[in-house]
Amino acid sequence: MRYEVSERRACRVVLAPRSVHRYQSQADRQDELRIRLRDLAAARIHYGSPRLCILLRREGWKVNHKRVERLYREEGLTLHRKRPRRHKSAVRRNSKPEATEKNQLWAMDFMSDQLFNGHRFRVLNIVDHFSRESLAMQVGQSLTGGNVVEVLDRVARVRGFPRRIKVDNGPEFISKALDRWAYWNKVELDFSRPGKPGDNAFVESFNGRCRQECLNEHWFLSLEDAQEKIDEWRRDYNEERPHTSLGDRTPMEFAAAAPPSASASPRPRDLAGAS
């Protein structure tokens, strides 16, 4: 309802000074910051305000998380995620000690997707638990235990052999080829319990990020095209994407600052015995 009264009379009725009614905020709207925040949110559509705040600070913006959160909400950039229900009575399984250095624990798992024509392909992911680095993402239409060994050898030539690798019970991971490779290189294979993907939770989380930020965002025209786009996302994940669990550093920055591990250099293998 509107009343046909003057401003002077309305202010007198509510006992408010006219200067209050006419006041216009002189605060800086932070237009440049808003524009940059919108640009980052458009490029990183799955990032929330805390991670965007880290990116802004890395670019040199002197902002705190409360200002970024306020502008993030005012610009309508809030993510809406459906959270699954949790069973409060569930008992968590006791986990093994966390990795304390590089190459102490790796994790491997497969993902699947399809090309534009419907042909399926698979991706082998290998990650380091300590540094959160993505060590390899190999694309193939049919990846066997022998292919897994080839990828592991390629990574080990650069990085060294791990002490332990966490895997599930897939046919590629229980193959004789991988078992022989692990034996001759003194690598322990830590198998998840059947039907318990949470035993290898870190790589499952990595797979979720990869699917959300890469696989669901692209059309793949061929296996070569898929490998190229996935490699580009892997580079961005390792070198540009900050992790709160790593002190807002990227996996590459965290790995560079970490002391060298005892298994950093490749161990010689008994090739004669392997044959």
Side-chain angles (χ1 to χ4, degrees):
M1 181 181 296
R2 297 185 61 184
Y3 295 92
E4 299 295 335
V5 296
S6 66
E7 174 188 295
R8 188 188 304 274
R9 183 177 180 184
C11 289
R12 187 185 309 120
V13 170
V14 298
L15 302 177
R18 294 170 63 196
S19 59
V20 173
H21 174 71
R22 296 188 175 188
Y23 175 78
Q24 294 183 352
S25 175
Q26 304 298 317
D28 185 2
R29 278 185 42 84
Q30 302 284 322
D31 288 333
E32 293 183 359
L33 179 57
R34 289 173 184 268
I35 292 173
R36 185 55 187 154
L37 183 61
R38 287 199 300 266
D39 290 343
L40 285 175
R44 312 278 184 169
I45 60 175
H46 301 291
Y47 283 18
S49 63
R51 204 177 299 276
L52 292 175
C53 180
I54 295 170
L55 293 180
L56 288 170
R57 288 174 179 171
R58 292 166 69 89
E59 292 182 357
W61 293 88
K62 297 185 182 300
V63 293
N64 62 24
H65 69 279
K66 291 183 287 186
R67 174 176 295 181
V68 175
E69 174 69 21
R70 176 175 59 81
L71 298 181
Y72 183 82
R73 292 181 180 276
E74 290 179 1
E75 294 297 319
L77 303 175
T78 307
L79 294 175
H80 299 281
R81 290 181 178 150
K82 182 179 179 181
R83 296 185 178 273
R85 290 185 178 181
R86 303 296 181 189
H87 296 285
K88 296 182 180 179
S89 60
V91 178
R92 294 186 178 181
R93 184 173 68 97
N94 291 332
S95 58
K96 294 186 178 181
E98 294 290 333
T100 57
E101 61 180 23
K102 294 182 291 186
N103 289 354
Q104 186 176 10
L105 176 60
W106 293 1
M108 292 194 301
D109 198 16
F110 282 98
M111 300 180 64
S112 63
D113 205 80
Q114 62 184 15
L115 304 177
F116 78 102
N117 55 10
H119 290 173
R120 306 291 298 181
F121 68 88
R122 307 182 75 195
V123 184
L124 171 64
N125 291 329
I126 305 177
V127 294
D128 187 302
H129 265 240
F130 175 71
S131 66
R132 305 297 197 265
E133 291 173 279
S134 171
L135 306 180
M137 298 183 71
Q138 182 62 46
V139 174
Q141 201 157 19
S142 177
L143 296 172
T144 64
N147 298 129
V148 173
V149 168
E150 291 175 3
V151 176
L152 286 170
D153 270 331
R154 187 173 72 239
V155 175
R157 279 196 295 270
V158 177
R159 188 182 182 86
F161 292 93
R163 300 178 190 173
R164 185 160 56 101
I165 302 179
K166 202 158 189 58
V167 294
D168 59 25
N169 293 273
E172 303 84 5
F173 299 143
I174 62 174
S175 65
K176 291 182 179 179
L178 181 58
D179 184 60
R180 187 183 306 114
W181 179 91
Y183 175 78
W184 289 113
N185 292 292
K186 299 182 175 61
V187 176
E188 177 188 350
L189 296 179
D190 185 358
F191 290 96
S192 302
R193 295 171 297 173
K196 300 290 184 179
D199 289 357
N200 203 0
F202 178 76
V203 76
E204 294 289 346
S205 175
F206 175 85
N207 290 348
R209 293 298 182 195
C210 177
R211 185 168 299 282
Q212 183 185 51
E213 298 177 7
C214 180
L215 300 185
N216 290 348
E217 297 298 321
H218 295 288
W219 282 96
F220 302 114
L221 304 180
S222 63
L223 292 179
E224 293 76 15
D225 181 52
Q227 184 71 70
E228 181 180 349
K229 290 175 179 175
I230 289 174
D231 282 342
E232 177 60 25
W233 180 84
R234 175 174 167 265
R235 184 205 64 78
D236 181 80
Y237 177 89
N238 283 335
E239 301 177 14
E240 302 293 338
R241 191 182 195 276
H243 288 243
T244 53
S245 60
L246 302 179
D248 296 339
R249 288 174 289 182
T250 66
M252 292 288 285
E253 290 173 341
F254 184 80
S261 63
S263 54
S265 58
R267 296 191 294 272
R269 292 183 293 172
D270 185 354
L271 299 179
S275 61

